[in-house]
């Protein structure tokens, strides 16, 4: 043997010790455990280790081949032991195979004669060879190895043809579906380019088609274009399920076009865009935003805000949708978060990790900054990989089947399922359909049993999202996150630039106000010297600037700066509308005059669309602008009580606050004033620290108003809660 790089001979074994002698006569004694632990230990010229024959492969062989091998096993055992069942078999053996009176050679001759007489021509040499094969490989050594050869699905096809066809199949995964004849033409062209015209002949059509199926079936290289894209987007196996045990631990966000038409202003009919946030642990739709086509990053940030703020009851909703009427532990949570008083039965979830796709909305700098400011970990999914966020994709399908198909103007999942006049069936406006959707989420989704939700103590019973949240919140706890009006501005998209003598200029729009006078031409206290400016793409007629306020707790305040031409454009518009006007108006003069021309063109566009004139494109742009502006104000009004200030007049210069938290309803017109009054009549929930609402759920059983709760932000202790269950 070899030990420590030298050759040794075993001289003696005594108990757990071994004595070794080297080639030069040196003798050592050591423990066997030390010898076996040496990395260079090996036995020189050791016999081959007996391996267990692959008996399981016998089942894959044809029955005649398997029976022939088992028959030879009986013959070999009879020759060697004198009994077909081996040496341990009971009963006497035949005399011609008795080892006591016949030699091994005589027994081999007898077996060869027996098999030849039975019709299987066999010689003694064959019997001897089968004995050797049985000794080396067991019964598997007796198998006819021609039947055990691995078979290829490709047969004897030319390797060059196989390589070319495989390349053509993989290159066509993203193309439209075609016939097998097209694959044959492309393969022939590729072979001619690689090896010369006619150098590699193609097999017959039938053989080529079998070869295509052998390469493509099971790999998703054939079928419809949709199936091939889905197959390509799948992550590489093995698939490891993600275990989520706490609400908000993993939240998935995505956008899709809803399978239903809505009626915008001026009779424009189009499909809105739905963005939702789904909590994986409870399958709760934490928030949903319905917008005209063209979701922006500010819409995604609204989802974050909606998740962490209780959803207030709306005036037309029945009392059964209130949280206090649901399975959620309302009374105990109310002592932690006073904002839950009068809230709808939708869980309040603070996300820890948000999974999004590679869409521009979710990877924008403003959305990333919003997640960072709220302490949320952002996890983008691989590009084009829908299964990476399969929970939210499946939820979209459920929304279409459980809600959208029952709404007027349902379009079906694709054009082949669309009716004759689906647009004519559309009757709901965007605000009306959004109100129906929010109500359905609370009563139709949150209270519906989900087969993927199982309680550990009741594995046979499916739970609803609200029941699952009630069970998990008792274990994980509840920490309220108070979002105020300043947080609304913080979640808006950000730009950093200077404050010049003319004010602030963003995308050919100039914003100016007297509150900027002390800071014109001055560098900001930030490291880059630029000022932080927040804006709302759905209401670009005003921006907010972070201004230093030494006397404030945070050391800064917000100054609202209006657009200098907002008096020319009274109708609501969005950044999408502005970009449309910019593409149609050519610059002929200076930058200042061009901005004035753009403002006039914008006003003309909105007035023309409102009067029913202009192209369909102009009408769609104007309708989307009005719908987006109205929905944006409604969403933030429900969250924080009232929309941000859009009035042209900023704070008084002697006020000393320079626009700190300027939030007031826009009352430029009588219609908008009525909208503001209606919003105030809803009496939505205020942030933590405000008095409870006087709406639904505000009174006790006797009809008396409840006293205002003191502002308190405490922690819902799961250990204390476990003692009550």
């Amino acid at each position: 043997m070899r030990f420590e790089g030298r050759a040794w001979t075993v001289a003696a074994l005594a108990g757990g010790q071994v004595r070794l002698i080297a080639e030069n006569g040196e003798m050592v004694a050591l423990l066997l455990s030390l010898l076996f632990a040496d990395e260079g230990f090996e036995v020189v010229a050791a016999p081959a280790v007996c391996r267990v024959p692959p008996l399981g492969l016998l089942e894959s062989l044809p029955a005649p081949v398997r029976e022939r091998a088992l028959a030879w096993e009986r013959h070999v055992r009879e020759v060697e032991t004198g009994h077909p069942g081996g040496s341990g078999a009971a009963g006497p053996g035949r005399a011609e195979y008795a080892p006591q009176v016949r030699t091994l050679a005589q027994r081999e001759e007898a077996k060869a004669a027996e098999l030849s007489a039975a019709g299987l021509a066999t010689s003694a040499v064959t019997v001897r060879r089968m004995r050797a094969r049985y000794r080396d490989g067991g019964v598997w050594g007796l198998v006819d190895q021609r039947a055990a050869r691995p078979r290829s699905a490709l047969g004897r096809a030319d390797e060059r043809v196989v390589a070319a066809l495989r390349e053509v199949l993989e290159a066509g995964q993203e193309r439209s579906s075609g016939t097998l004849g097209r694959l044959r033409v492309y393969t022939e062209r590729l072979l001619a380019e690689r090896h010369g015209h006619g150098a590699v002949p193609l097999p017959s059509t039938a053989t080529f088609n079998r070869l295509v199926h052998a390469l493509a079936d099971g790999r998703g290289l054939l079928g419809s274009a949709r199936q091939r894209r889905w197959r390509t987007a799948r992550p590489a196996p093995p698939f490891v399920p993600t275990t989520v045990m706490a609400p908000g631990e993993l939240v998935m966000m995505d956008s899709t076009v809803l399978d239903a038409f809505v009626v915008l202003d001026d009779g424009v009919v189009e499909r809105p865009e739905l963005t939702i946030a789904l909590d994986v642990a409870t399958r709760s739709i934490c928030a949903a935003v319905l917008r005209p086509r063209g979701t922006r990053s500010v819409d995604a940030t609204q989802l974050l805000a909606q998740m962490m703020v209780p959803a207030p009851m709306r005036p037309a909703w029945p009392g059964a949708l209130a949280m206090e009427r649901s399975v959620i532990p309302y009374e105990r949570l109310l002592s932690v978060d006073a904002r839950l008083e009068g809230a709808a039965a939708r869980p309040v979830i603070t996300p820890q990790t948000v999974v999004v796709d590679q869409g521009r909305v979710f990877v924008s700098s403003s959305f990333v900054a919003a997640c960072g400011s709220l302490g949320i970990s952002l996890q983008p999914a691989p590009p084009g990989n829908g299964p990476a966020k399969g929970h939210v994709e499946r939820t979209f399908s459920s929304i279409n089947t459980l809600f959208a198909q029952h709404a007027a103007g349902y379009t079906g999942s694709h054009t082949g399922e669309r009716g004759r006049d689906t647009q004519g069936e559309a009757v709901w406006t965007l605000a009306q359909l959004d109100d129906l959707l929010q109500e359905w989420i609370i009563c139709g989704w949150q209270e519906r049993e989900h087969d993927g939700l199982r309680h550990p103590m009741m594995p046979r019973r499916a739970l609803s999202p609200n029941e699952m949240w009630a069970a998990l919140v008792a274990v994980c706890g509840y920490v309220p996150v108070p979002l105020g009006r300043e947080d609304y501005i913080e979640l808006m998209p950000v730009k950093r630039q200077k404050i010049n003598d003319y004010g602030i200029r963003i995308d050919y729009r100039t914003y100016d106000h007297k509150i900027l006078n002390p800071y014109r031409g001055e560098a900001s206290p930030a490291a880059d010297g630029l000022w932080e400016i927040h804006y709302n793409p759905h209401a670009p007629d005003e921006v907010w600037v972070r201004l230093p306020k030494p006397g404030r707790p945070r050391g800064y305040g917000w100054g609202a700066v209006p657009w200098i031409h907002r008096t020319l454009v009274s109708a609501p518009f969005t950044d999408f509308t502005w970009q449309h006007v910019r593409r149609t108006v050519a610059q002929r003069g200076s930058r200042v005059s061009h901005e004035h021309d753009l403002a006039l063109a914008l006003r003309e566009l909105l007035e023309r669309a409102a009067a029913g004139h202009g192209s369909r494109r102009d009408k769609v742009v104007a309708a989307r602008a009005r719908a987006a502006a109205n929905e944006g104000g409604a969403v933030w009004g429900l969250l924080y009580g009232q929309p941000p200030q859009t009035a042209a007049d900023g704070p008084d210069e002697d006020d000393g606050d320079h626009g700190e938290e300027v939030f007031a309803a826009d009352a430029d017109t009588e219609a908008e004033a009525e909208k503001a009054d209606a919003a105030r009549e809803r009496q939505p929930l205020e942030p933590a620290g405000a008095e409870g609402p006087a709406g639904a759920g505000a009174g006790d059983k006797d009809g008396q108003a409840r006293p205002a709760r003191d502002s308190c932000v405490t922690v819902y202790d799961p250990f204390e809660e476990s003692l009550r269950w």
Side-chain angles (χ1 to χ4, degrees):
M1 64 186 61
R2 296 192 64 84
F3 173 66
E4 293 184 348
R6 300 169 59 186
W8 303 79
T9 302
V10 178
L13 284 173
Q17 292 185 349
V18 60
R19 295 180 182 274
L20 303 179
I21 301 176
E23 296 176 349
N24 58 0
E26 180 184 354
M27 180 179 293
V28 296
L30 68 158
L31 296 175
L32 284 174
S33 58
L34 180 62
L35 176 65
F36 296 152
D38 185 72
E39 295 181 356
F41 167 74
E42 63 174 336
V43 179
V44 181
V49 180
C50 281
R51 294 186 174 274
V52 178
L55 300 178
L57 294 179
L58 288 176
E59 300 298 330
S60 65
L61 298 176
V65 177
R66 184 170 60 252
E67 292 298 332
R68 181 186 175 97
L70 295 176
W72 265 112
E73 182 183 23
R74 292 190 296 269
H75 295 316
V76 169
R77 285 179 175 178
E78 189 174 21
V79 170
E80 293 182 345
T81 65
H83 198 283
S87 58
R94 291 188 288 178
E96 58 267 28
Y97 298 108
Q100 296 83 4
V101 298
R102 304 291 298 269
T103 64
L104 185 58
Q106 291 174 338
R107 298 196 299 270
E108 291 175 350
E109 292 289 347
K111 180 58 69 175
E114 178 188 348
L115 294 176
S116 298
L120 181 62
T122 309
S123 63
V125 177
T126 302
V127 176
R128 191 175 301 115
R129 185 175 65 252
M130 299 302 286
R131 286 182 52 244
R133 292 172 60 178
Y134 183 74
R135 184 172 59 251
D136 294 338
V139 67
W140 182 256
L142 303 176
V143 173
D144 187 355
Q145 298 301 316
R146 293 175 296 181
R149 292 174 182 172
R151 297 183 179 181
S152 173
L154 306 179
R156 299 181 179 179
D158 193 329
E159 294 182 358
R160 295 172 294 180
V161 176
V162 173
L165 178 57
R166 183 178 285 111
E167 185 175 346
V168 170
L169 287 171
E170 293 177 353
Q173 293 187 60
E174 300 296 333
R175 299 191 60 186
S176 301
S177 302
T179 62
L180 297 181
R182 187 180 74 173
L183 293 176
R184 183 180 179 89
V185 172
Y186 289 171
T187 305
E188 187 175 12
R189 291 178 183 175
L190 184 59
L191 290 173
E193 294 177 1
R194 297 279 176 82
H195 309 284
H197 184 72
V200 181
L202 285 178
S204 63
T205 303
T207 304
F208 180 82
N209 292 344
R210 288 195 298 269
L211 183 61
V212 170
H213 286 286
L215 290 173
D217 291 349
R219 299 181 57 194
L221 298 178
L222 288 181
S224 65
R226 181 179 181 181
Q227 293 173 339
R228 284 184 275 119
R229 285 194 299 268
W230 177 84
R231 183 84 180 192
T232 305
R234 287 200 318 169
F239 306 117
V240 180
T242 302
T243 303
V244 184
M245 300 300 298
E249 183 178 354
L250 186 64
V251 175
M252 295 183 178
M253 298 177 61
D254 199 8
S255 298
T256 188
V257 179
L258 191 66
D259 291 344
F261 282 112
V262 295
V263 181
L264 303 180
D265 292 348
D266 304 324
V268 175
V269 178
E270 72 170 11
R271 296 168 61 187
E273 199 163 336
L274 174 64
T275 306
I276 67 172
L278 179 77
D279 178 54
V280 177
T282 64
R283 299 300 197 277
S284 297
I285 300 180
C286 311
V289 173
L290 196 64
R291 285 288 192 184
R293 297 287 291 272
T295 301
R296 307 298 295 270
S297 59
V298 68
D299 301 323
T301 57
Q302 286 184 6
L303 288 178
L304 300 177
Q306 286 190 37
M307 291 178 60
M308 296 179 286
V309 175
M313 289 286 292
R314 299 191 181 185
W317 289 0
L321 303 186
M323 184 178 293
E324 59 183 339
R325 307 275 287 274
S326 67
V327 298
I328 297 175
Y330 170 74
E331 294 295 338
R332 278 165 280 178
L333 291 176
L334 188 63
S335 62
V336 179
D337 192 350
R339 300 174 301 172
L340 296 176
E341 186 174 4
R346 190 201 73 186
V348 182
I349 295 177
T350 302
Q352 300 178 16
T353 301
V354 175
V355 177
V356 296
D357 56 19
Q358 296 285 346
R360 293 185 300 173
V361 173
F362 300 112
V363 298
S364 62
S365 58
S366 58
F367 182 71
V368 173
C371 291
S373 63
L374 295 174
I376 300 173
S377 175
L378 188 63
Q379 179 61 55
N385 196 335
K389 46 184 180 59
H391 295 288
V392 68
E393 298 286 356
R394 184 62 181 86
T395 303
F396 279 136
S397 178
S398 300
I399 291 175
N400 287 327
T401 55
L402 299 177
F403 170 75
Q405 71 167 340
H406 301 289
Y410 174 65
T411 64
S413 59
H414 55 83
T415 55
E417 299 178 355
R418 188 167 300 180
R420 182 185 300 273
D421 187 21
T422 308
Q423 296 189 15
E425 299 175 1
V427 296
W428 300 113
T429 64
L430 184 66
Q432 291 172 336
L433 187 63
D434 178 69
D435 190 73
L436 292 174
L437 175 64
Q438 302 297 338
E439 185 176 359
W440 172 83
I441 289 175
I442 296 174
C443 65
W445 178 265
Q446 293 297 130
E447 298 294 338
R448 180 177 180 269
E449 292 183 353
H450 196 291
D451 192 60
L453 299 177
R454 302 283 176 171
H455 194 282
M457 304 303 296
M458 300 178 292
R460 295 186 178 182
R461 181 176 181 270
L463 303 181
S464 68
N466 278 352
E467 290 174 337
M468 194 66 180
W469 187 75
L472 293 182
V473 76
V475 179
C476 305
Y478 175 84
V479 180
V481 179
L483 291 178
R485 294 179 174 89
E486 286 189 358
D487 300 305
Y488 161 73
I489 302 176
E490 291 283 1
L491 295 176
M492 287 184 179
V494 183
K495 285 185 177 294
R496 300 191 64 86
Q497 59 189 63
K498 297 180 178 180
I499 299 179
N500 298 305
D501 292 339
Y502 52 81
I504 302 170
R505 186 167 291 162
I506 300 176
D507 197 14
Y508 281 88
R509 295 188 303 271
T510 302
Y511 301 86
D512 198 10
H513 195 269
K514 55 187 177 181
I515 62 175
L516 300 179
N517 290 341
Y519 313 103
R520 300 182 191 272
E522 299 290 335
S524 72
D528 57 359
L530 302 178
W531 296 91
E532 182 179 347
I533 303 167
H534 291 241
Y535 67 99
N536 186 356
H538 296 303
D541 56 346
E542 188 176 37
V543 297
W544 287 265
V545 185
R546 190 192 301 271
L547 300 177
K549 297 291 179 59
R552 296 283 177 171
R554 296 185 179 182
Y556 66 86
W558 291 103
V561 183
W563 182 36
I564 61 174
H565 295 298
R566 66 183 303 172
T567 55
L568 293 178
V569 184
S570 58
F573 69 98
T574 65
D575 186 68
F576 173 78
T577 318
W578 181 262
Q579 298 299 332
H580 174 73
V581 173
R582 277 200 56 192
R583 288 191 295 267
T584 57
V585 177
Q587 183 173 355
R588 296 183 178 85
S590 62
R591 188 184 184 97
V592 176
S593 61
H594 181 55
E595 180 179 355
H596 187 266
D597 294 339
L598 290 175
L600 294 178
L602 176 62
R603 183 182 66 178
E604 182 182 357
L605 166 67
L606 298 177
E607 292 177 351
R608 187 170 62 248
H613 305 300
S615 64
R616 171 173 173 77
R617 179 65 175 172
D618 293 342
K619 295 180 181 179
V620 170
V621 170
R624 287 182 182 178
R626 286 189 289 270
N630 294 335
E631 280 298 306
V635 169
W636 290 110
L638 290 174
L639 290 177
Y640 304 117
Q642 53 187 350
Q645 177 200 4
T646 54
D649 295 333
D652 192 47
E653 190 172 11
D654 297 332
D655 183 37
D657 284 346
H658 296 291
E660 172 70 16
E661 294 191 43
V662 184
F663 284 79
D666 186 357
D668 288 342
T669 62
E670 182 178 355
E672 292 173 348
E674 293 176 358
K675 291 181 181 179
D677 294 336
R680 284 191 292 270
E681 289 176 359
R682 297 191 186 101
Q683 296 184 356
L685 297 178
E686 293 289 335
E691 296 182 355
D700 55 15
K701 296 182 180 179
D702 299 331
Q704 300 296 329
R706 297 175 180 174
R709 295 180 178 269
D710 296 333
S711 173
C712 60
V713 178
T714 58
V715 177
Y716 185 83
D717 188 359
F719 298 100
E720 180 182 352
E721 171 67 15
S722 64
L723 300 177
R724 306 183 183 182
W725 282 66

